[in-house]
Every structure is written in C-alpha cells, then in structure tokens.
C-alpha cells in the first residue's frame, strides 16, 4: 500500500562537527544555531499490505511490564530494608 506523507527537511551541524547533516522529520522544528529548516516535501512510501503492528505493540508492553515489575520489586526491597532498620534500632 502506498501512502503520502509530508516531511520537513532540516540541516543540522553542531559546532564540534566537521560536516552538516540533512535530516527528515515528521514535523517542522524552529530554527536554532545548530539546526535550520530547509523545506517541506510530500513523499510517497510503500507500506507492506500485510503490516500488522500488534506483535511489536505486545513486545513493547511486555518490556514496559518487566520494567514496572523490577521497579516495584526494588521499591519493596527498599521499604523492607527501612522497616528492618527501624526494628533493629528498637530491639
């Protein structure tokens, strides 16, 4: 399936870089001392007819779930350590 999208082309060069880069974004950035807007273009891209994002979405959610569970376990461990320290002080 072919779709048309509008892209925004910018030139970017940081002071420590030797050469500028030309970058394509889905939105227009304001000009800065290191990045300048050049132009807007409509391009056509080919997306596979059978593209189904669900497997990638599930993988991202599984990864997020693992991080949340690890953060939770770390917090519980820290709270338990604080409780144990308070119990040791009163013993």
């Amino acid at each position: 399936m072919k779709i048309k999208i509008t892209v925004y082309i910018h030139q970017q060069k940081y002071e420590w870089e030797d050469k500028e880069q030309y970058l394509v974004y889905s939105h227009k950035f304001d000009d800065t001392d290191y990045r300048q807007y050049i132009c807007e273009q409509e391009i056509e891209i080919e997306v596979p007819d059978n593209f189904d994002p669900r497997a990638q979405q599930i993988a991202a959610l599984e990864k997020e779930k693992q991080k949340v569970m690890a953060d939770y376990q770390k917090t519980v461990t820290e709270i338990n350590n604080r409780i144990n320290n308070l119990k040791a002080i009163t013993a």
Side-chain angles (χ1 to χ4, degrees), residues 61-72:
L61 288 169
E62 290 289 349
K63 185 176 177 180
E64 182 180 350
K65 181 174 79 171
Q66 291 299 318
K67 182 187 180 317
V68 168
M69 290 171 60
D71 291 346
Y72 167 78

Side-chain angles (χ1 to χ4, degrees), residues 59-90:
L61 288 169
E62 290 289 349
K63 185 176 177 180
E64 182 180 350
K65 181 174 79 171
Q66 291 299 318
K67 182 187 180 317
V68 168
M69 290 171 60
D71 291 346
Y72 167 78
Q73 186 57 48
K74 180 181 175 205
T75 301
V76 169
T77 300
E78 290 170 354
I79 291 170
N80 284 335
N81 287 340
R82 290 172 62 192
I83 290 170
N84 289 335
N85 285 342
L86 289 169
K87 286 180 178 179
I89 292 172
T90 59

Side-chain angles (χ1 to χ4, degrees), residues 33-81:
D33 62 327
Y34 60 88
R35 182 184 56 238
Q36 299 78 41
Y37 170 72
I38 298 174
C39 66
E40 169 184 320
Q41 289 188 12
E42 187 173 280
I43 62 171
E44 188 173 89
I45 61 172
E46 181 73 32
V47 177
D49 288 332
N50 63 349
F51 176 68
D52 184 351
R54 289 179 291 179
Q56 291 166 282
Q57 291 169 322
I58 291 169
L61 288 169
E62 290 289 349
K63 185 176 177 180
E64 182 180 350
K65 181 174 79 171
Q66 291 299 318
K67 182 187 180 317
V68 168
M69 290 171 60
D71 291 346
Y72 167 78
Q73 186 57 48
K74 180 181 175 205
T75 301
V76 169
T77 300
E78 290 170 354
I79 291 170
N80 284 335
N81 287 340

Side-chain angles (χ1 to χ4, degrees), residues 11-49:
Q11 175 182 310
Q12 179 173 294
K13 181 180 179 297
Y14 291 99
E15 61 185 52
W16 60 84
E17 295 178 321
D18 294 329
K19 189 174 178 187
E20 69 277 351
Q21 300 178 56
Y22 294 92
L23 303 168
V24 177
Y25 294 103
S26 60
H27 56 281
K28 180 182 174 185
F29 286 108
D30 290 335
D31 289 343
T32 65
D33 62 327
Y34 60 88
R35 182 184 56 238
Q36 299 78 41
Y37 170 72
I38 298 174
C39 66
E40 169 184 320
Q41 289 188 12
E42 187 173 280
I43 62 171
E44 188 173 89
I45 61 172
E46 181 73 32
V47 177
D49 288 332

